[in-house]
Amino acid sequence: MNSPISEALLLHATATVIDAQREKLPQVSAPFRLPDPIGVARQTTELGGLIAELGDEYLFRADASAPQEHTTHAAEAFANTIGSVAQAASALGTVAQQLAFVARTAGKRGEPGYEDAHTDAGQLIELAVETARDDLAEAAQTLRTAASAVSPPPAVKVQRAALARSPGASTASPAPIATAVAVAAQRAPARAR
């Protein structure tokens, strides 16, 4: 099973992936421009893949026969994050619906109600993008908070590092921290897809 250090590293790495997804969303600022429908579709697909990966992380920990506290804490964080990322994906679904409406009615300019309908669609899109950005920020914060909770206190980290540098450590197996960092580093890029 994963160590507290490897869990913390994976939680931080996953939060970074979510931050990258958030940065792909349009900025909500004046004047707001309608996002590209293809970009919205791609990002929705990417969030779906991220939800599946988060589900796998939760499953991996939930399936442990005798999970340690750091494992159950990480499992809870991944489960909570699934909800936030799913809400962001749902908000992007609203964006896609409104963009489809705008595209379908583009040829009806000048007809009664056209301007009001398009103004309303633009406002809904802006609100949905802002909601998606907030949901992804919450997801990343949930993971970072969990990473802080599962990490050993700084004094323990310093003690482990000192033991790893001690003269007797050269014949022992690699330091747990170095091993955990290496394992987490190998796992994180695979999940970042």
Side-chain angles (χ1 to χ4, degrees), residues 66-108:
Q68 296 178 359
E69 185 178 348
H70 65 271
T71 303
T72 57
H73 201 77
E76 182 180 13
F78 283 119
N80 290 338
T81 302
I82 291 167
S84 295
V85 175
Q87 289 173 349
S90 177
L92 288 184
T94 298
V95 172
Q97 289 172 335
Q98 295 303 313
L99 289 172
F101 167 78
V102 168
R104 181 174 51 81
T105 60
K108 298 183 178 187

Side-chain angles (χ1 to χ4, degrees), residues 104-115 118:
R104 181 174 51 81
T105 60
K108 298 183 178 187
R109 186 176 300 266
E111 290 187 17
Y114 171 87
E115 291 299 325
H118 277 249

Side-chain angles (χ1 to χ4, degrees), residues 13-87:
T14 307
T16 301
V17 169
I18 291 171
D19 285 338
Q21 286 294 326
R22 184 175 184 265
E23 288 305 312
K24 291 180 183 180
L25 288 170
Q27 295 291 331
V28 180
S29 58
F32 180 74
R33 293 186 204 187
L34 294 181
D36 172 44
I38 294 171
V40 170
R42 285 187 179 135
Q43 189 151 20
T44 304
T45 300
E46 289 173 11
L47 290 180
L50 181 57
I51 291 167
E53 290 177 16
L54 292 166
D56 288 345
E57 291 299 340
Y58 172 74
L59 175 61
F60 173 70
R61 286 152 186 82
D63 193 35
S65 58
Q68 296 178 359
E69 185 178 348
H70 65 271
T71 303
T72 57
H73 201 77
E76 182 180 13
F78 283 119
N80 290 338
T81 302
I82 291 167
S84 295
V85 175
Q87 289 173 349

